[in-house]
Amino acid sequence: MCAEQVAAAPGDLPAWLAPLVRAANATNAADFLRWGQPAGEPAGRASAVLILLGEGAAGPEVLLIERAERLRSHAGQPAFPGGAVDPSDLGPADTALREAAEEVGLDPSGVRVVALLPELYLPPSGFLVTPVLAWWQRPGPVGVVDAAEVARVERVPVAELVDPANRCRVRHPSGYIGAAFTVRGMLVWGFTAGLLDRVLELGGWDQPWDREDIRELPSRALDLAARGLPADLRMAAVEHDAPAADDVVPRTDGPTGRPGTVDR
């Protein structure tokens, strides 16, 4: 099967996954980020990340990696597998699957791509990132392939991610306050946490948690996020080639329950 043949029929998916796929197909970029690509701005390099969901002993789980601290960019940060599009890639799904195979040894034959989320423009890098939603239909072994790039690989149960004890918000020195997760000894924040927060909401999995639990970002996380950036961009540094932290749309719990933008 071509990696770019995306399943669009939730009826033949697991009952726990079908609602997420239906909701994901109805989203647009404004549901995830504050800003779109500015008019006249040249297109940045296309990339893709893989949001891989499978079923484990504790129910649905998602694949996360922690990048090696020696990397020049997004060092030491939890993330989804992914990277820049190669000329030979058939599209974003092909990119996401190829990168996951290179980073964690994922066998793409056991993976079914079920939706492409909207392409997201991430300043200041200008990257155009497509999140690829996939079902791990036949899970297989995964792990660190190259320790120079990936420090660890975790299959994190959704139940752990939505546990209120593992939820908080973090404050960046720039003033940004955004969702975060403390799971498996990792602090997941920035673009990855914002995207993960949306996915949990779209899937109907999220639970009430204390949004007043706001923690300062550890200095180590800030130092790693700023690595390789010009001085004038370091205060906005976050993962995935440094999108500005406050470009992640803050979630609100208004009357509709829909995600929205709020002023800080």
Side-chain angles (χ1 to χ4, degrees):
M1 166 177 151
C2 170
E4 295 303 305
Q5 293 177 338
V6 178
D12 60 351
L13 298 175
W16 56 265
L17 182 59
L20 171 59
V21 174
R22 282 193 292 266
N25 285 328
T27 61
N28 57 55
D31 291 323
F32 296 90
L33 295 181
R34 286 179 184 268
W35 315 117
Q37 184 173 351
E41 182 89 6
R45 188 173 183 184
S47 61
V49 296
L50 182 67
I51 305 175
L52 182 61
L53 292 157
E55 191 158 10
E61 56 189 18
V62 63
L63 184 70
L64 294 176
I65 65 173
E66 184 176 85
R67 300 199 177 278
E69 290 196 358
R70 69 186 70 181
L71 293 176
R72 183 174 180 273
S73 60
H74 44 73
Q77 297 171 359
F80 298 109
V85 172
D86 279 354
S88 60
D89 292 339
L90 300 175
D94 205 35
T95 298
L97 291 172
R98 174 185 55 75
E99 286 283 344
E102 294 173 0
E103 291 177 339
V104 305
L106 178 72
D107 180 1
S109 68
V111 176
R112 181 176 174 187
V113 174
V114 294
L116 300 180
L117 296 183
E119 185 179 67
L120 305 176
Y121 172 76
L122 302 182
S125 69
F127 268 51
L128 296 171
V129 180
T130 300
V132 177
L133 187 64
W135 172 30
W136 206 354
Q137 194 169 10
R138 295 187 302 278
V142 290
V144 174
V145 173
D146 183 354
E149 293 189 6
V150 176
R152 62 193 291 196
V153 180
E154 293 286 348
R155 297 168 59 166
V156 183
V158 166
E160 289 186 23
L161 292 166
V162 301
D163 184 342
N166 296 332
R167 302 296 309 268
C168 66
R169 295 197 294 166
V170 293
R171 179 169 24 229
H172 189 277
S174 65
Y176 156 79
I177 298 175
F181 302 83
T182 55
V183 290
R184 305 295 173 97
M186 300 184 295
L187 174 64
V188 185
W189 67 289
F191 174 71
T192 298
L195 187 54
L196 190 54
D197 184 51
R198 284 292 181 273
V199 168
L200 296 173
E201 181 187 11
L202 292 171
W205 293 315
D206 57 337
Q207 301 176 13
W209 53 282
D210 183 8
R211 299 178 188 280
E212 300 305 312
D213 181 5
I214 300 174
R215 309 175 191 180
E216 302 298 327
L217 273 169
S219 58
R220 182 61 175 165
L222 293 171
D223 291 344
L224 289 171
R227 182 179 293 172
L229 289 177
D232 60 338
L233 296 181
R234 287 176 185 168
M235 288 296 288
V238 205
E239 60 200 272
H240 286 287
D241 294 285
D246 57 3
D247 285 333
V248 179
V249 175
R251 175 176 159 178
T252 64
D253 292 317
T256 64
R258 294 282 297 163
T261 304
V262 298
D263 295 326
R264 296 205 181 277

